């Protein structure tokens, strides 16, 4: 009997174990289903939160763009009024004209048509760096222009509309190029490993800014030319006015950016100097190199000097910008080229460099400044004396 | 094991999950499920969302959230929830919160942040459970997940499930 009860008890325990395992398995399955459902809920909540953030960002962005557009309009209106009446109004002073068509007419300002408003809005979005919004608005402008073109039946109007469209597209392309440069900047900032990489990046960034400035200046000229058309209609004139004002602003910004990158005074888009930003370092100094690039520049200068040189022995000259000295390249008795570093030349340079001592140094200590120049020349003379001079370009790094 | 896509968070959660003792597994799974429900259920998600704000100060907000959430679950379980399992569930649930912040709020999550938030979350939850005055809670002060604490907390009650 004892055995039987023992067996029964054992069987009862086994049955209880099986029942518990079944219960656990069911419970695990249920929990797994719940977890799967919660994972879906999590994905949904994340999507909802992202959508909400985008909506909020869109509202904030729209408000910022509207405010910037109003400022741009005010700026353009103030400039037009000041030009006409010789006044000194600021953008804020003429803000009220926005909603007063009668007053606008009285001041001779163009009507704020839909195209004009869209153009200002696109420009404002660009200024704030909202390139997607700007692209979207420019898309609207293109569509509006398309509609107007369909309605217009004379060729002149179509031509003007084409011009307005092209202006808008060019401005957008410039912004895209600058944005790409900015992205490259961020990438380079995080990725660059050596100062050489940084230098390369800065050259590229300056080059992009310079190209953009050139583009903006060309656009200004183009828009001014279009505005000089006596047959231009008022609506289009309004758009061009806005485009002109914003392009001038852009050019101003680019000039400032270029100046900050160390090229102040170097960029003169109107002059045809063939300025190449890649040949300049940060700070605007020429890139010191022994490669053919700078060599060409030196050779070019040497050639100029050679033409001016009265002495037939003088083949050219090497300019040392760091100390403001010039040394003639002469041919020795063996026919080899060499630098003339004779006492006369040194003295001549000394006179020149003493005269060209910057005024700041003069104010500080003229004696010290002159001594400093003499030391520099002495050092140069020593260095030249210790080298067998064959290639003048090798000395440009001094 | 719940799904986490961020590799840092996934690793942190998996490390803890792999070391859950069999006797704590059921309680642990229940706490995870209840915690997920609390965080991502439509009716309660907004509390999580509002508490995280713009996701800029996660090192402060997440430990507070973890402590508040654990206490809520503990009270809902009529104080029968296993504290040992709860301490283990901190890291996986915290990883869920951080992944939400990362994906919904574009918050940046770094390994250093995960380590710091883990430590602070342990401290915050332990403090709420009154474990911070226990001598062995010093083990919590190690950064990163602390699965070896399971069952070793003298203040922890026996496993009674959630």
């Amino acid at each position: 009997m004892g055995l039987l009860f023992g067996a029964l008890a054992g069987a009862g325990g086994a049955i209880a174990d099986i029942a518990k395992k079944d219960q656990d398995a069911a419970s695990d399955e249920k929990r797994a289903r719940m977890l799967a459902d919660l994972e879906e809920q999590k994905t949904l909540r994340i999507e909802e939160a992202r959508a909400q953030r985008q909506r909020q960002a869109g509202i904030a962005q729209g408000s910022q763009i509207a405010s910037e557009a109003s400022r741009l309009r005010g700026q353009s209106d103030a400039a037009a009024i000041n030009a006409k009446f010789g006044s000194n109004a600021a953008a804020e002073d003429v803000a009220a004209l926005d909603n007063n068509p009668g007053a606008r007419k009285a001041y001779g300002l163009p009507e704020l048509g839909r195209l004009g408003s869209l153009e200002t809005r696109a420009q404002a979005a660009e200024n704030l760096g909202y390139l997607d919004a700007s692209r979207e608005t420019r898309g609207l402008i293109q569509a509006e222009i398309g509609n107007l073109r369909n309605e217009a039946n004379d060729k002149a109007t179509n031509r003007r509309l084409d011009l307005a469209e092209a202006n808008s597209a060019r401005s957008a392309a410039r912004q895209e190029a600058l944005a790409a440069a900015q992205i490259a900047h961020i990438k380079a900032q995080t990725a660059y490993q050596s100062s050489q990489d940084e230098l390369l990046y800065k050259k590229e960034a300056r080059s992009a800014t310079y190209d953009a400035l050139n583009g903006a200046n060309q656009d200004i000229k183009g828009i001014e030319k279009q505005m000089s058309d006596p047959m231009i209609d008022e609506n289009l004139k309004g758009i061009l006015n806005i485009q002109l004002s914003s392009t001038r602003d852009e050019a101003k910004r680019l000039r400032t950016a270029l100046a900050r990158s160390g090229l102040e005074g170097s960029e003169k888009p109107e002059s045809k100097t063939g300025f190449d930003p890649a040949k300049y370092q940060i700070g605007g100094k020429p890139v010191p190199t022994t490669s053919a690039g700078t060599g060409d520049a030196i050779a070019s200068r040497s050639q100029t000097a050679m033409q001016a040189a009265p002495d037939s022995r003088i083949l050219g000259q090497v300019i040392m910008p760091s100390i403001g000295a010039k040394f003639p390249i002469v041919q020795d008795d063996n026919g080899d080229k060499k630098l003339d570093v004779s006492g006369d030349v040194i003295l001549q340079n000394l006179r020149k460099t003493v005269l060209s001592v910057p005024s700041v140094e003069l104010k500080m200590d003229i004696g010290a400044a002159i001594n400093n120049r003499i030391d520099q020349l002495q050092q140069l003379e020593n260095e030249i004396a210790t080298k067998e001079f064959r290639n003048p370009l090798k000395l440009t790094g001094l | 094991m719940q799904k986490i896509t961020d590799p840092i968070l996934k690793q942190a959660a998996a490390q803890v999950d792999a070391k859950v003792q069999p006797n704590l597994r059921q309680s642990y799974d229940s706490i995870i499920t209840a915690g997920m429900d609390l965080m991502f259920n439509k009716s309660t998600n907004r509390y999580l969302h509002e508490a995280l704000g713009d996701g800029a100060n996660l090192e402060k907000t997440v430990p507070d959230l973890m402590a508040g959430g654990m206490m809520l679950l503990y009270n809902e379980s009529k104080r029968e929830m296993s504290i040992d399992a709860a301490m283990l569930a901190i890291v996986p649930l915290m990883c869920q919160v951080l992944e939400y912040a990362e994906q919904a709020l574009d918050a940046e999550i770094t390994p250093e942040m995960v380590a710091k938030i883990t430590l602070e979350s342990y401290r915050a939850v332990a403090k709420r459970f009154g474990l911070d005055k226990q001598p062995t809670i010093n083990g919590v002060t190690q950064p990163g997940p602390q699965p070896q604490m399971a069952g070793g907390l003298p203040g922890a009650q026996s496993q009674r499930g959630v």
Side-chain angles (χ1 to χ4, degrees):
Chain A
M1 284 298 283
L3 270 175
L4 182 63
F5 280 122
L8 279 174
I15 289 165
D17 277 350
I18 291 165
K20 188 175 181 306
K21 277 178 186 167
D22 283 350
Q23 201 180 354
D24 287 350
S27 170
D28 285 348
E29 200 181 321
K30 191 180 168 190
R31 200 163 29 238
R33 274 202 308 274
M34 277 181 75
L35 260 181
D37 178 55
L38 286 167
E39 290 295 342
E40 279 178 27
Q41 295 266 334
K42 175 183 158 189
T43 311
L44 269 176
R45 297 293 94 77
I46 287 171
E47 281 169 9
E48 283 168 7
R50 289 192 75 86
Q52 190 191 356
R53 284 186 72 223
Q54 275 172 2
R55 274 198 303 276
Q56 282 169 347
I59 293 166
Q61 180 180 303
S63 160
Q64 281 176 18
I65 291 173
S67 164
E68 174 69 7
S70 171
R71 190 189 69 79
L72 281 178
R73 260 199 309 277
Q75 218 172 37
S76 160
D77 289 348
I81 290 172
N82 292 341
K84 196 167 183 179
F85 299 100
S87 54
N88 197 21
E92 305 83 57
D93 303 331
V94 297
L97 294 177
D98 250 13
N99 304 316
N100 193 339
R104 290 188 72 82
K105 203 172 177 182
Y107 277 107
L109 295 172
E111 280 180 33
L112 288 176
R114 178 162 165 74
L115 267 183
S117 298
L118 285 174
E119 179 61 41
T120 315
R121 197 175 163 75
Q123 192 57 50
E126 270 173 18
N127 288 357
L128 294 168
Y130 297 135
L131 291 184
D132 283 346
S134 165
R135 208 176 291 124
E136 200 178 311
T137 314
R138 290 207 182 278
L140 277 176
I141 294 173
Q142 311 283 337
E144 291 277 335
I145 288 176
N147 292 340
L148 285 172
R149 187 182 287 118
N150 290 339
E151 288 166 16
N153 52 11
D154 64 300
K155 284 182 183 172
T157 308
N158 271 338
R159 189 179 61 80
R160 290 187 199 110
L161 288 171
D162 283 344
L163 290 173
E165 192 177 22
N167 286 339
S168 184
R170 267 202 306 278
S171 177
R174 232 177 12 252
Q175 292 299 328
E176 295 279 345
L178 276 177
Q182 278 164 3
I183 290 166
H185 171 66
I186 292 161
K187 280 184 182 166
Q189 268 190 331
T190 50
Y192 79 79
Q193 296 295 318
S194 67
S195 58
Q196 190 58 32
D197 289 345
E198 190 189 10
L199 192 66
L200 272 173
Y201 151 68
K202 285 187 174 170
K203 269 193 224 167
E204 282 168 16
R206 278 202 302 274
S207 179
T209 314
Y210 177 73
D211 288 345
L213 176 61
N214 258 345
N217 278 316
Q218 278 167 12
D219 279 3
I220 290 170
K221 280 181 187 168
I223 296 169
E224 281 170 349
K225 194 177 167 192
Q226 289 162 37
M227 285 182 72
S228 65
D229 179 357
M231 296 294 287
I232 194 165
D233 68 60
E234 281 304 307
N235 193 24
L236 186 60
K237 199 172 179 181
I239 299 168
L240 290 175
N241 248 328
I242 294 162
Q243 285 180 341
L244 185 63
S245 166
S246 62
T247 314
R248 277 182 180 150
D249 281 352
E250 191 186 333
K252 196 175 165 188
R253 270 202 311 276
L254 291 168
R255 260 197 297 278
T256 309
L258 213 50
R260 280 184 189 153
S261 73
L263 294 176
E264 191 166 19
S266 299
E267 88 296 351
K268 285 179 181 166
E270 289 81 8
S271 67
K272 291 172 183 170
T273 54
F275 165 72
D276 179 2
K279 289 184 181 168
Y280 289 84
Q281 276 185 329
I282 304 156
K285 290 181 181 172
V287 177
T289 167
T290 55
S291 70
T294 308
D296 288 347
I298 300 270
S300 157
R301 282 197 295 270
S302 299
Q303 203 175 6
T304 315
M306 187 171 65
Q307 284 164 0
D311 186 344
S312 60
R313 254 183 6 109
I314 297 174
L315 302 173
Q317 63 179 356
V318 170
I319 300 165
M320 309 285 177
S322 59
I323 58 167
K326 292 176 184 174
F327 294 92
I329 301 167
V330 294
Q331 206 163 23
D332 65 11
D333 298 338
N334 299 327
D336 289 339
K337 288 177 185 175
K338 60 180 279 189
L339 269 191
D340 183 358
V341 287
S342 59
D344 285 350
V345 176
I346 297 280
L347 197 62
Q348 199 180 359
N349 272 307
L350 187 59
R351 282 198 202 101
K352 280 183 195 164
T353 52
V354 167
L355 287 174
S356 68
V357 172
S359 56
V360 177
E361 286 183 43
L362 283 172
K363 275 180 201 163
M364 284 166 61
D365 183 351
I366 189 164
I370 291 170
N371 283 335
N372 187 30
R373 293 287 173 177
I374 292 170
D375 287 346
Q376 283 178 341
L377 282 168
Q378 187 64 51
Q379 193 186 347
L380 182 70
E381 190 184 12
N382 292 339
E383 285 184 32
I384 291 170
T386 56
K387 289 179 184 177
E388 189 184 355
F389 182 73
R390 290 195 184 278
N391 181 359
L393 303 182
K394 283 186 180 170
L395 283 172
T396 54
L398 282 173
Chain B
M1 174 72 189
Q2 76 282 21
K3 282 183 200 161
I4 295 175
T5 51
D6 183 296
I8 303 168
L9 301 174
K10 190 175 182 175
Q11 192 186 8
Q15 277 176 359
V16 174
D17 195 79
K19 292 184 180 174
V20 176
Q21 292 160 355
N23 59 335
L24 289 176
R25 172 56 70 179
Q26 202 176 357
S27 298
Y28 168 85
D29 284 346
S30 299
I31 294 168
I32 296 281
T33 311
M36 291 272 287
D37 191 38
L38 186 64
M39 289 190 288
F40 303 122
N41 192 301
K42 194 171 175 63
S43 56
T44 48
N45 172 256
R46 63 194 172 97
Y47 299 115
L48 170 72
H49 192 79
E50 282 167 14
L52 289 175
D54 60 359
N57 194 15
L58 295 177
E59 289 168 8
K60 171 82 178 74
T61 51
V62 175
D64 288 351
L65 262 170
M66 295 310 299
M70 281 298 178
M71 278 315 286
L72 191 68
L73 293 179
Y74 185 64
N75 289 332
E76 284 296 307
S77 73
K78 299 187 173 56
R79 300 175 179 262
E80 288 187 350
M81 185 172 88
S82 157
I83 294 179
D84 291 352
M87 293 305 283
L88 280 170
I90 289 172
V91 173
L93 288 175
M94 178 200 82
C95 289
Q96 290 285 354
V97 175
L98 290 178
E99 183 159 81
Y100 179 83
E102 190 177 41
Q103 292 184 11
L105 308 172
D106 288 336
E108 193 187 350
I109 310 292
T110 63
E112 292 75 24
M113 270 177 79
V114 176
K116 190 173 179 195
I117 294 171
T118 304
L119 176 64
E120 292 303 323
S121 296
Y122 273 126
R123 278 184 179 154
V125 175
K127 195 174 177 186
R128 286 286 186 100
F129 281 133
L131 303 178
D132 57 329
K133 294 174 183 70
Q134 301 295 333
T136 51
I137 200 66
N138 289 337
V140 175
T141 57
Q142 298 295 318
Q146 302 290 314
Q148 67 273 20
M149 285 196 314
L153 296 169
Q157 297 159 15
S158 59
Q159 301 91 48
R160 281 170 287 182
V162 176

